[in-house]
Amino acid sequence: NEDVKKVDGLTLIHLPSGPTMSFKVTSLRLSRQILGHGNALEDNFPEVVLNNFRTRLGRRIKRGLQALFHTKPMCHNRQVATFHNQRDFLFFRHH
C-alpha cells in the first residue's frame, strides 16, 4: 500500500485458502539511502532471525514470515534478515 508515493503498509496473502496478514509501515529506509551499503549477491539467501514471537499469535506470524524466505540447510551466509517483536511492533532489518 502507498499514500503519496510513500509506502505505508504491507499485505501478505497466501493463496488459495491461506491467511492474510496486514502490517502498517511507520518508517522505511531503502538500501540506496544508506551510505556505504554493499550490493547483495544474487545467489545468496539471507539467514532469518526471529526474536520474541512467543505468544500464540506471535507463532502464527513467525510461520508466515518464515515462509517468505528460501531456506538452505547448513549454509554460511553473509546476509541476515532480522525480525524483532516488541510490544506489538515488528522491527525488521536486513544486514
Side-chain angles (χ1 to χ4, degrees):
N1 304 342
E2 67 179 65
D3 184 32
V4 192
K5 297 194 178 198
K6 290 198 176 215
V7 177
D8 64 352
L10 173 69
T11 304
L12 302 175
I13 302 169
H14 188 262
L15 296 175
S17 60
T20 300
M21 295 186 286
S22 297
F23 300 97
K24 179 181 176 185
V25 177
T26 56
S27 66
L28 174 69
R29 185 177 299 167
L30 301 175
S31 59
R32 66 176 172 250
Q33 297 171 330
I34 301 172
L35 296 174
H37 183 271
N39 294 330
L41 301 173
E42 291 180 13
D43 61 343
N44 195 3
F45 301 106
E47 180 181 347
V48 180
V49 177
L50 298 154
N51 294 328
N52 292 337
F53 291 91
R54 296 184 185 123
T55 64
R56 184 177 178 195
L57 178 60
R59 287 191 299 270
R60 179 176 284 183
I61 292 171
K62 179 181 177 179
R63 283 193 308 267
L65 293 173
Q66 282 176 332
L68 292 176
F69 294 92
H70 179 76
T71 58
K72 257 188 181 177
M74 300 299 291
C75 70
H76 302 285
N77 293 327
R78 296 189 66 214
Q79 297 179 14
V80 177
T82 303
F83 293 91
H84 180 74
N85 182 20
Q86 183 177 0
R87 296 188 200 133
D88 291 336
F89 283 93
L90 187 64
F91 298 94
F92 170 73
R93 182 173 182 202
H94 185 245
H95 47 99

